[in-house]
Amino acid sequence: MMRVLIVEARFYPEISDALYDGAAHALDLAGVASDRISVPGALEIPAAIALAAQHYDGFIALGCVIRGETYHFEVVASESARGLMELMTNKGLCIGNGILTVEDEAQALHRARREELDKGGDAARACVALVALKERFAAMP
């Protein structure tokens, strides 16, 4: 049975809960087992995934970065995405990226809620698809 780890940044709890709801629902529909851990912010998500890399088939990164008045938004958004891409391309990890980068909380909630854009569900479905693709390639002669 496929097993994935959901790694969520809990900086914005309401948004995190909505993202998790969508991801958990998508995994339940796919019959995929999951564990859930939290980290302080989006920058810590790639590190947590790297630490758990040997123990799971795939990973779902959930979090939110909201633009503020400083350059910090760009750093966090870019570096968390870069960290995930490096794990995917250099380590062959299957990661669904559900880290939102938005202008405000209203945009984040619209993207996070399962009844609306369901980006947590999208990240879960991407993870499952990548794991299936990796298994397909592993079975090739």
Side-chain angles (χ1 to χ4, degrees), residues 7-115:
V7 181
E8 64 173 341
R10 297 286 307 166
F11 197 80
Y12 299 103
E14 183 180 6
I15 297 164
S16 296
D17 288 342
L19 287 166
Y20 176 76
D21 177 52
H25 180 73
L27 293 176
D28 285 345
L29 289 177
V32 174
S34 67
D35 292 321
R36 177 185 187 185
I37 63 168
S38 64
V39 296
L43 283 176
E44 290 78 30
I45 292 173
I49 291 173
L51 292 170
Q54 301 292 319
H55 304 286
Y56 291 90
D57 300 306
F59 302 88
I60 301 167
L62 301 178
C64 182
V65 185
I66 298 176
R67 186 180 303 278
E69 296 177 3
T70 68
Y71 184 68
H72 187 66
F73 169 86
E74 284 82 3
V75 171
V76 174
S78 296
E79 291 302 306
S80 60
R82 183 192 57 77
L84 294 178
M85 285 304 295
E86 284 185 5
L87 290 170
M88 292 166 65
T89 57
N90 295 342
K91 302 290 184 185
L93 300 184
C94 301
I95 303 171
N97 184 353
I99 301 176
L100 304 177
T101 53
V102 296
E103 297 295 324
D104 55 44
E105 188 174 339
Q107 282 183 352
L109 288 169
H110 176 63
R111 284 159 177 73
R113 290 185 184 120
R114 185 162 48 106
E115 308 78 26

Side-chain angles (χ1 to χ4, degrees), residues 109-132:
L109 288 169
H110 176 63
R111 284 159 177 73
R113 290 185 184 120
R114 185 162 48 106
E115 308 78 26
E116 297 181 50
L117 294 184
D118 192 23
K119 295 302 181 180
D122 286 348
R125 288 183 287 275
C127 173
V128 170
L130 286 171
V131 171

